[in-house]
Amino acid sequence: MHKNIVFLLNKSEITAGKPGASLGPEAILTAARKKGSTFFSENEIQKVAHVNHLLDLPTKFKFAKRIDGLITVYNEIYNKVSTLLKNKAFPLIIAADHGSAGGTIAGIKAAFPDKRLGVLWIDAHADIHTPFTTPTGNMHGMPLATALNVDNLECKVNDVSEETVALWNQLKNIGNIAPKILPEDIIYIGVRDTEHQEDCIVEALSIKNYPVAELRQKGVAAIMDEINSKLNSCDIIYVSFDVDSMDPELTSYGTGTPVKNGLSPQEAKEILVSMAQNPKTVCIEVVEVNPCLDDKKNTMAEVTLDLIESITKTLKQ
């Protein structure tokens, strides 16, 4: 199906709340070496430039921490993804934190400006905060808001500086297309840890979430049929998979914001393989492995490697 798969390693972790996610991509490569797998040598690997040195400096943007650096990261991933897609490659992104996913979406939209983009967001979190609503200022909770070009001022709790607002508007407009996706073209799986401000905008925008309980009640196959039907009007699809969508008791706590009662690794695999089989899927991203937090050595990376191998084998069928 997709012979030209390119692994894009993105070590940016400036938007996470806990350090260590930058080691996630290498931890996955280490898991492959431990397994004796030559998997990564069989496909092209590219790397995205990062600005993680900013973590050693104070940030003056209380409600959008290191947003100045994130603009650089967005532009880097935007250029990489758009170039790969224009060259008929399939970007399979292994990223540190989830904050750069808005740059991925910008890159996809730049490659296909006239196509309607659907997004399947598999995550314990909604990632639709803005500087006006965030309780932490950590921007890995904001990528979908940048792609949707929303501020959620109706739920405003923070007084944001003019400089932050200017940078936020710049971030939302990277690629000169805003919005890049429509609310009706976003589907969540596994979201279960949100704040009131996120609940309000998700409800207002009518974004569908498939909780784990519903997935188990109906079965993965039935849910995937529903999702493919809901995204049928889209021309292309992007899949963003955060490992915290999985239950830490069934994997490990090797991620920045683990939440219990998540997907099993097998359920995650079935979902990802199903999306890899969908010919409309043009990019898949896997994020948030943090080996520094792993209570079972490198287990999260090992589980994630298995998922990535399954995705890749499916894409090459």
Side-chain angles (χ1 to χ4, degrees):
M1 191 184 300
H2 293 283
K3 302 298 183 184
N4 188 19
I5 297 169
V6 176
F7 287 109
L8 201 52
L9 304 187
N10 178 11
K11 296 183 181 181
S12 174
E13 66 166 324
I14 62 170
T15 71
K18 300 173 184 176
S22 63
L23 302 175
E26 289 294 342
I28 295 168
L29 267 64
T30 298
R33 294 168 187 143
K34 178 183 176 183
K35 185 179 177 181
S37 171
T38 58
F39 172 69
F40 284 106
S41 67
E42 297 165 6
N43 300 278
E44 182 182 352
I45 297 177
Q46 295 186 17
K47 296 183 179 180
V48 180
H50 60 78
V51 290
N52 288 342
H53 66 276
L54 294 179
L55 292 166
D56 302 321
L57 302 170
T59 176
K60 61 180 178 178
F61 305 106
K62 180 179 179 181
F63 300 116
K65 295 175 182 175
R66 302 175 188 86
I67 189 173
D68 48 344
L70 187 58
I71 289 172
T72 299
V73 173
Y74 261 47
N75 278 315
E76 289 289 336
I77 193 77
Y78 159 83
N79 286 321
K80 285 279 191 182
V81 169
S82 60
T83 299
L84 287 171
L85 289 170
K86 288 174 183 177
N87 290 330
K88 311 300 181 184
F90 187 102
L92 209 170
I93 304 170
I94 304 175
D97 67 47
H98 216 166
S100 59
T104 303
I105 293 172
I108 297 170
K109 194 64 179 175
F112 304 108
D114 299 322
K115 293 188 180 295
R116 185 170 168 180
L117 173 58
V119 174
L120 180 61
W121 199 267
I122 310 161
D123 200 324
H125 308 90
D127 291 349
I128 199 168
H129 269 300
T130 76
F132 303 99
T133 68
T134 175
T136 66
N138 296 327
M139 296 201 70
H140 66 168
M142 306 186 197
L144 276 177
T146 69
L148 284 163
N149 192 33
V150 296
D151 296 329
N152 196 12
L153 295 177
E154 295 79 3
C155 297
K156 178 181 175 181
V157 293
N158 301 323
D159 292 323
V160 181
S161 70
E162 290 185 7
E163 186 176 4
T164 299
V165 172
L167 292 171
W168 174 246
N169 288 332
Q170 185 179 341
L171 195 66
K172 291 187 295 179
N173 283 281
I174 283 175
N176 297 314
I177 300 174
K180 298 169 180 67
I181 48 177
L182 302 173
E184 57 265 35
D185 296 332
I186 301 171
I187 296 175
Y188 287 127
I189 293 181
V191 170
R192 57 195 183 278
D193 184 18
T194 57
E195 283 78 39
H196 170 71
Q197 293 81 6
E198 289 183 298
D199 294 338
C200 287
I201 192 170
V202 167
E203 182 177 356
L205 297 177
S206 300
I207 299 175
K208 171 63 179 175
N209 176 39
Y210 285 97
V212 175
E214 182 177 353
L215 182 138
R216 289 183 180 155
Q217 179 186 11
K218 294 181 176 179
V220 174
I223 293 295
M224 298 316 297
D225 285 343
E226 287 188 25
I227 288 172
N228 286 324
S229 178
K230 289 178 184 294
L231 295 179
N232 189 52
S233 299
C234 296
D235 303 302
I236 54 175
I237 297 171
Y238 158 64
V239 180
S240 197
F241 178 81
D242 190 321
V243 299
D244 71 22
S245 63
M246 296 185 289
D247 193 318
E249 297 297 329
L250 301 177
T251 52
S252 81
Y253 282 77
T255 186
T257 48
V259 183
K260 292 183 179 181
N261 302 314
L263 300 169
S264 71
Q266 181 59 36
E267 289 164 339
K269 183 186 292 189
E270 291 175 24
I271 292 165
L272 291 169
V273 166
S274 176
M275 294 311 298
Q277 291 171 336
N278 189 324
K280 291 186 177 182
T281 301
V282 298
C283 178
I284 297 176
E285 185 160 12
V286 178
V287 307
E288 295 278 2
V289 172
N290 189 331
C292 292
L293 302 174
D294 203 315
D295 58 323
K296 301 176 184 175
K297 295 185 178 179
N298 203 31
T299 295
M300 185 65 85
E302 293 170 356
V303 170
T304 304
L305 171 66
D306 181 59
L307 298 177
I308 293 170
E309 286 182 324
S310 297
I311 293 167
T312 306
K313 289 174 184 176
T314 303
L315 289 171
K316 290 196 170 186
Q317 289 176 354

